[in-house]
Amino acid sequence: MTQLALVIDLNVCVGCQACVTSCKSWNTSGTAGSLADLNPYDEDPTGTFFNRVQTFEVGSYPNTETVHFPKSCLHCEDPPCVPVCPTGASYKRAEDGIVLVDYDKCIGCKYCSWACPYGVRELDPERKEMTKCTLCVDRIYNEALPERDRKPACVLACPTSARIFGDVHDPDSSASKAIRERGGYQLMPEWGTEPSNHYLPRRKTEMTIRPDEIVRTDNPLKVDGLKPMPDASTPALDDAASW
Amino acid sequence: MNPAFSVILLTTLTGAAQGLFLALFGCELAHALNLSAPTPGHDFYVVGALISLALSGAGLIASFFHLGRPERAWRSAAMWRTSWLSREVIVLPAFMATTALYGLSHAMDWPLTLATGAIGAVLALALFVCTGMIYACLKFLQEWASPLTVVNYLVLGCASGLTLASAYAALSAAELMTMMTSLAIALTLLGLVTRSASLLRNARLRPRSSLQTAIGIHHPRIAQRSQGLMGGSFNTREFFHHRTLQFLRSVKWTFLLLAFVLPVLLLAAGAATTSSPLLWLAFAVQYTGLLAERWYFFAQANHPQNLYYQTIS
């Protein structure tokens, strides 16, 4: 059984928001319909986004690290938003595990957004329908696109390749390998929703410097311990000769 | 959560309607079982059923204002196998239809009023369970995820319904008033106990989610620097009440006073002086208190998604 998902590498995300704008751009002009942008240039701008990058500061000054944290629908294995939907508009696809909203059935009761602990569903203020990340379902199967472009818009936009897209149930996929080899984890495991999207933890980066990296052993001017220039204390030509 | 007035009205109005219906049916049942209850005429049941129908109808209308797309509301009965909201959508009209039939049976002097009433009573109780479970089944809203939520919807609905029934009985069937007021007082006091129990429980809750589990970084000191947006969003509007703690606390004491303490005093005074206006006042005060109680119920629930929306910058 396929379960498509994103694996997000917190070690390399630089918080550039490229995935956010790319997601908004693709999805507001795609088959799913527009995503509202109210008062974009006035006070109180608001709008619908499927994907946000948040920033956290970990530790206390001066020993802090900035963690950029992208968050979109996690496409849970056991999504709590699906059983509560009274109309069946919210559903999980059996064939690839993507959680979707049938916009034509949604009555805008917001109950599914209450049932999602991650806050990744948004009621569009103009359409009055519940919207959410579709994993770009209209891209990844689109045969009009070249094969290498059949990925979610956020994945293609990421300049640091912080996002890996793939089948997390297939042990040979790059997504599964990354989870396995780098300790990929799920958000809020305490609620048993089994999110399919995983996050790769940050890694400690340490620099090991060997002495021969500072002092080049093959430096021709250092051969036999000879210094390339005479000491300041040794007499110079000017001292030795009077002109 | 950010309390929605439409949902507050829906739950309080239908709660009173269900409580009133249960009071009417209880009367008829007590009479049928020869519990030496006084027997009101058919008119008492007819008008009572009409009041109950009007209240639940008003609640049903209020519920539509909660929907983004009310024109598609008919779809919401589809998922009764999994969704408590869907179950409520089915049981509420069924309860209203049975209430109408119950009133009609009494008006037309048809037989089987007791059987119709029994079905209506089962539906009223089922509706309390559905409404309560809509909230109690959301396990990570820890303030709601408790059997006390269902118990409170049931007891508070019955209490307000019986207070209404006392006021109504004082007008049209005075011989029932003493029984109704004593039941209303008993249920209001029971409501005070169960609601206080949930307040105590919620005050002692330890949230299971933290910023650490929310982003999966297990450092003790994490502070949000940006929530990914500069203005508001659905996430900042829907899941937080934007009021101060003092305001929340004052609403709590207000509803404890208005929904429980004052109604008990007014009911006792009304029963002692057989004064119908005092009993109507008791219902008005209790209903206002229940509006505050329901507001507080929603506002107090702390959704874990708020962990992701702590700082704008």
Side-chain angles (χ1 to χ4, degrees):
Chain A
M1 201 177 68
T2 313
Q3 172 65 64
L4 296 179
L6 296 169
V7 178
I8 294 167
D9 189 347
L10 295 182
N11 205 45
V12 292
C13 176
V14 292
C16 70
Q17 314 276 335
C19 55
V20 178
T21 48
S22 169
C23 167
K24 176 94 171 182
S25 159
W26 174 262
N27 284 297
T28 203
S29 47
T31 53
S34 62
L35 303 181
D37 254 324
L38 305 177
N39 312 323
Y41 305 108
D42 299 320
E43 270 189 28
D44 277 333
T46 185
T48 309
F49 284 79
F50 292 170
N51 178 30
R52 306 267 196 192
V53 179
Q54 308 187 324
T55 303
F56 295 89
E57 189 178 88
V58 180
S60 39
Y61 181 83
N63 300 315
T64 56
E65 274 199 49
T66 305
V67 177
H68 299 291
F69 179 82
K71 178 166 72 81
S72 56
C73 173
L74 306 166
H75 299 279
C76 300
E77 308 258 359
D78 185 11
C81 54
V82 169
V84 302
C85 176
T87 66
S90 193
Y91 64 104
K92 186 175 174 71
R93 292 183 11 148
E95 64 266 36
D96 52 16
I98 302 180
V99 178
L100 289 176
V101 178
D102 183 339
Y103 298 122
D104 294 333
K105 281 189 188 167
C106 177
I107 57 171
C109 68
K110 307 179 197 165
Y111 194 25
C112 59
S113 74
W114 295 8
C116 171
Y118 308 100
V120 293
R121 302 180 142 246
E122 296 188 26
L123 189 83
D124 190 279
E126 274 175 349
R127 288 159 51 195
K128 305 284 184 194
E129 290 157 355
M130 192 51 70
T131 55
K132 66 181 289 301
C133 162
T134 64
L135 268 185
C136 283
V137 73
D138 52 342
R139 273 193 83 91
I140 58 180
Y141 297 112
N142 190 343
E143 295 191 355
L145 293 172
E147 180 111 34
R148 64 190 181 112
D149 284 349
R150 290 180 210 163
K151 284 180 184 174
C154 57
V155 175
L156 293 171
C158 183
T160 61
S161 304
R163 291 168 166 263
I164 306 168
F165 169 67
D167 175 8
V168 291
H169 284 181
D170 171 11
D172 296 326
S173 71
S174 54
S176 293
K177 277 185 193 156
I179 295 169
R180 202 163 53 234
E181 288 165 9
R182 297 191 36 204
Y185 63 86
Q186 298 169 317
L187 304 183
M188 292 187 186
E190 64 272 23
W191 300 118
T193 57
E194 293 286 316
S196 304
N197 279 14
H198 282 66
Y199 286 77
L200 302 179
R202 289 165 77 85
R203 287 180 286 189
K204 281 217 172 76
T205 40
E206 280 174 18
M207 226 159 122
T208 44
I209 302 173
R210 298 187 303 275
D212 62 340
E213 283 173 330
I214 302 172
V215 181
R216 274 181 62 185
T217 48
D218 54 348
N219 186 341
L221 298 175
K222 293 222 146 206
V223 175
D224 296 330
L226 286 178
K227 290 179 182 165
M229 276 174 65
D231 265 345
S233 56
T234 54
L237 188 60
D238 286 348
D239 302 322
S242 80
W243 302 90
Chain B
M1 305 292 289
N2 196 4
F5 211 63
S6 48
V7 181
I8 295 177
L9 279 177
L10 162 71
T11 55
T12 48
L13 285 171
T14 54
Q18 290 154 255
L20 175 61
F21 184 86
L22 288 172
L24 295 177
F25 173 69
C27 254
E28 193 177 355
L29 188 67
H31 172 62
L33 295 177
N34 285 325
L35 290 179
S36 70
T39 328
H42 277 311
D43 288 354
F44 177 76
Y45 295 105
V46 176
V47 178
L50 279 177
I51 299 174
S52 170
L53 201 57
L55 286 175
S56 44
L60 187 63
I61 292 167
S63 74
F64 278 88
F65 288 94
H66 187 64
L67 302 183
R69 294 285 199 146
E71 74 276 13
R72 297 177 189 162
W74 59 273
R75 287 185 177 276
S76 57
M79 301 307 280
W80 55 271
R81 283 184 202 81
T82 59
S83 171
W84 283 105
L85 182 54
S86 202
R87 289 170 195 163
E88 187 194 37
V89 164
I90 295 168
V91 176
L92 176 56
F95 166 70
M96 288 174 66
T98 316
T99 309
L101 185 65
Y102 183 68
L104 194 66
S105 308
H106 273 290
M108 300 298 194
D109 206 5
W110 287 343
L112 294 177
T113 52
L114 203 58
T116 317
I119 296 170
V122 169
L123 287 171
L125 293 173
L127 187 50
F128 278 127
V129 173
C130 290
T131 311
M133 279 307 289
I134 287 177
Y135 308 102
C137 77
L138 301 175
K139 57 185 170 184
F140 41 80
L141 275 158
Q142 288 170 269
E143 288 85 351
W144 294 351
S146 148
L148 278 173
T149 301
V150 181
V151 168
N152 281 325
Y153 270 86
L154 173 70
V155 175
L156 300 188
C158 287
S160 65
L162 273 161
T163 310
L164 179 60
S166 318
Y168 168 55
L171 272 187
S172 60
E175 69 277 14
L176 282 173
M177 195 197 62
T178 321
M179 186 183 78
M180 290 290 187
T181 41
S182 27
L183 275 173
I185 289 172
L187 272 158
T188 304
L189 289 176
L190 181 64
L192 180 61
V193 171
T194 57
R195 192 64 177 97
S196 304
S198 78
L199 286 176
L200 286 177
R201 170 186 177 271
N202 291 352
R204 298 168 59 87
L205 276 182
R206 292 279 168 275
R208 278 179 73 188
S209 286
S210 62
L211 214 40
Q212 279 73 19
T213 67
I215 67 172
I217 291 173
H218 297 288
H219 195 283
R221 288 181 67 110
I222 303 176
Q224 187 164 42
R225 288 289 170 251
S226 154
Q227 59 181 7
L229 47 115
M230 307 272 283
S233 72
F234 178 74
N235 301 86
T236 57
R237 288 188 296 269
E238 180 70 12
F239 300 98
F240 189 60
H241 48 78
H242 300 284
R243 307 290 172 136
T244 58
L245 263 177
Q246 287 90 326
F247 182 81
L248 222 61
R249 214 171 292 140
S250 67
V251 171
K252 181 176 78 180
W253 290 110
T254 308
F255 90 67
L256 284 175
L257 194 68
L258 290 184
F260 303 111
V261 181
L262 281 180
V264 166
L265 295 178
L266 286 168
L267 280 166
T273 57
T274 57
S275 146
S276 159
L278 269 184
L279 294 175
W280 283 107
L281 183 66
F283 175 68
V285 167
Q286 186 166 44
Y287 185 74
T288 316
L290 286 181
L291 289 179
E293 186 273 334
R294 224 32 58 91
W295 188 92
Y296 187 84
F297 171 79
F298 286 104
Q300 197 196 20
N302 189 18
H303 200 289
Q305 79 99 39
N306 290 336
L307 289 168
Y308 295 107
Y309 297 90
Q310 309 260 321
T311 316
I312 297 178
S313 85

